[in-house]
């Protein structure tokens, strides 16, 4: 259905994303406020009326080291959940969700750019959009964008997924984009929240429920490997 010119999943390099997530969590530590040195203001955009505008704005922000802008263009609540992939505990994730996850987002996108030249599609500064595919999942509208660079080997495409929020603005959906490194951890966390009767567990559990459409969107991909499909299905079963 998504119609990309080549399978995207093999291009999501797990080792590279592990490094990015390590930078994000280590950079924030136990303090949910940003410590990257970037001032956080309310003037940063939080989405655009068209998904292509959001992706272009993200790529421009990353190329210009505007980490806060990139963080605010991400679906709310998802950066806190991304911290789970590096082993953040329920209390830490709950703090991000309640007191602010902007610091996680700033450090995540800064780390992403730091290692982006290791991706087969090249550095962020050289990425351009080549495809767009819109669809719906779980009552939410999504749009996938294939991006390449002039130096990319033929057929090498990296995909970014965007989602439309209740305010009709589009943001980057990092759960759907980087599900490879997150599916198993989401499943494990959902099981833990069910067995843990604490306020922190309840906060994280509610947030997991809110992002079910992002996981359902992944299952629409015809190029999904059987292993990853099963991991996403298991995550959905645990969360629901």
């Amino acid at each position: 259905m998504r119609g990309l010119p080549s399978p995207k999943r093999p291009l999501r390099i797990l080792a590279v994303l592990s490094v990015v997530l390590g930078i994000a969590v280590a950079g924030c530590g136990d303090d949910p406020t940003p410590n990257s040195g970037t001032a956080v203001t309310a003037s940063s955009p939080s989405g655009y009326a068209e998904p292509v505008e959001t992706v272009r704005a993200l790529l421009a922000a990353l190329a210009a080291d505007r980490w806060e802008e990139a963080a605010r263009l991400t679906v709310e609540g998802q950066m806190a959940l991304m911290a789970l992939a590096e082993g953040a505990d329920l209390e830490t994730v709950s703090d991000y969700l309640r007191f602010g996850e902007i610091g996680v987002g700033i450090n995540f996108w800064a780390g992403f750019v730091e290692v982006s030249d290791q991706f087969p599609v090249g550095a962020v500064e050289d990425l351009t959009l080549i495809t767009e595919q819109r669809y719906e999942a779980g009552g939410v509208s999504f749009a996938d964008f294939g991006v390449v660079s002039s130096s990319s080997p033929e057929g090498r495409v990296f995909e970014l997924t965007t989602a439309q929020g209740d305010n009709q603005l589009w943001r980057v959906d990092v759960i759907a984009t980087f599900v490879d490194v997150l599916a198993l951890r989401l499943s494990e966390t959902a099981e833990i929240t069910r067995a843990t009767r604490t306020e922190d567990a309840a906060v994280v559990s509610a947030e997991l429920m809110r992002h079910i459409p992002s996981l359902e969107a992944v299952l629409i991909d015809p190029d999904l490997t059987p292993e990853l499909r099963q991991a996403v299905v298991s995550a959905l079963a645990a969360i629901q």
Side-chain angles (χ1 to χ4, degrees), residues 197-240:
R197 297 181 179 277
T198 65
E199 181 180 352
D200 291 326
V203 169
V204 175
S205 179
E207 193 65 26
L208 289 172
M209 289 286 293
R210 204 167 67 83
H211 298 286
I212 285 177
S214 297
L215 293 173
E216 293 179 338
V218 173
L219 295 178
I220 293 177
D221 185 358
D223 297 318
L224 206 62
T225 65
E227 294 78 12
L228 185 52
R229 183 174 296 277
Q230 181 56 52
V232 174
V233 169
S234 296
L236 282 168
I239 293 171
Q240 294 172 316

Side-chain angles (χ1 to χ4, degrees), residues 117-206:
D117 59 354
Q118 300 178 40
F119 280 78
V121 290
V124 167
E125 292 84 353
D126 195 31
L127 293 180
T128 56
L129 305 181
I130 61 168
T131 61
E132 175 183 355
Q133 183 70 34
R134 297 199 190 198
Y135 55 99
E136 289 193 4
V140 175
S141 295
F142 292 89
D144 291 340
F145 291 87
V147 293
V148 298
S149 75
S150 58
S151 59
S152 301
E154 185 176 357
R156 292 302 184 104
V157 179
F158 181 75
E159 184 175 298
L160 286 169
T161 299
T162 60
Q164 188 177 39
D166 293 338
N167 61 358
Q168 304 305 305
L169 297 181
W170 293 80
R171 292 184 174 187
V172 177
D173 191 308
V174 292
I175 288 180
T177 300
F178 300 114
V179 69
D180 309 57
V181 296
L182 197 57
L184 180 60
R185 188 64 176 132
L186 290 180
S187 180
E188 294 173 343
T189 300
E191 295 289 353
I192 293 173
T193 59
R194 285 185 176 182
T196 307
R197 297 181 179 277
T198 65
E199 181 180 352
D200 291 326
V203 169
V204 175
S205 179

Side-chain angles (χ1 to χ4, degrees), residues 5 12 19 40-41 44 47 66 71-73 78 84 94 100 102 128 158 181-182 189 192 198 220 223 232 235 239:
R12 293 179 179 164
V19 172
V40 178
T41 69
S44 297
R66 299 196 301 269
R72 292 189 182 279
L73 287 171
Q78 290 194 352
L84 292 168
S94 176
I102 191 69
T128 56
F158 181 75
V181 296
L182 197 57
T189 300
I192 293 173
T198 65
I220 293 177
D223 297 318
V232 174
I239 293 171

